[in-house]
Amino acid sequence: EWPVLQGNGWVDLIMTSWSLADIQAGREAEALERLQLAFPGPLEAIDSQFYELLQPVVVLGALYKQTGDPERGEALLRDYLDYLRSEDNPWTLITTHRTEFTVLAMLGETDAALDKLAAAVEAGHIYQWWALRDGAFDPDYAAVVADPRFEALYRRIEARIGEQREAFLAQPELPEEYLP
């Protein structure tokens, strides 16, 4: 039996990564079973340090959609979206914009998802920007990633990261070990 992993810090990231590897290998049912066993409680009980892009609840929602229970997947994703927008969400200033983008994309709400991503880019919320393509295992998310507006936003993020990197490297006082 799998242990209950709620409240164990980075274990949720490990379980999510394991599930994504299963999905990539075509083992969606196994991934769903593992996540259901690891996180058996309600949404509120999934205690994570960070609401990362591919949070277990988001992967669960996508897996329900892919394994024949799209209503349950959509309900879970909508509940999570409500939570992200609630006053109880402690991570509002960190990753909510990006996570809302992910959930909206997985719900097939392309315009709303891209609007949320554009707002995040405009506000400077580009934390873990490289992971924005990671949700493409979900067909609805993949459709958003394929949208030319997504690509334009992604290029803006890459340009901003490039500018920040150049500014960092131009600092003459950096110790030698900090330079690539």
Side-chain angles (χ1 to χ4, degrees), residues 24-104:
Q24 188 174 27
R27 297 187 301 262
E28 290 88 353
E30 290 88 341
L32 177 59
E33 181 180 7
R34 185 177 303 110
L35 281 177
Q36 286 173 319
L37 289 170
F39 301 100
L43 177 62
E44 295 78 23
I46 297 178
D47 178 23
S48 177
Q49 294 181 25
F50 302 104
Y51 285 84
E52 297 295 346
L53 177 63
L54 295 176
Q55 181 68 298
V57 68
V58 174
V59 175
L60 266 173
L63 283 168
Y64 285 132
K65 288 171 52 184
Q66 292 178 21
T67 57
D69 198 349
E71 294 82 16
R72 186 173 185 181
E74 183 173 329
L76 183 61
L77 290 169
R78 290 206 182 278
D79 285 348
Y80 190 47
L81 190 59
D82 289 343
Y83 171 75
L84 288 172
R85 294 173 173 171
S86 75
E87 293 179 12
D88 295 333
N89 175 12
W91 306 106
T92 305
L93 298 177
I94 302 174
T95 60
T96 298
H97 294 300
R98 192 194 59 226
T99 309
E100 280 190 62
F101 161 76
T102 302
V103 174
L104 289 165

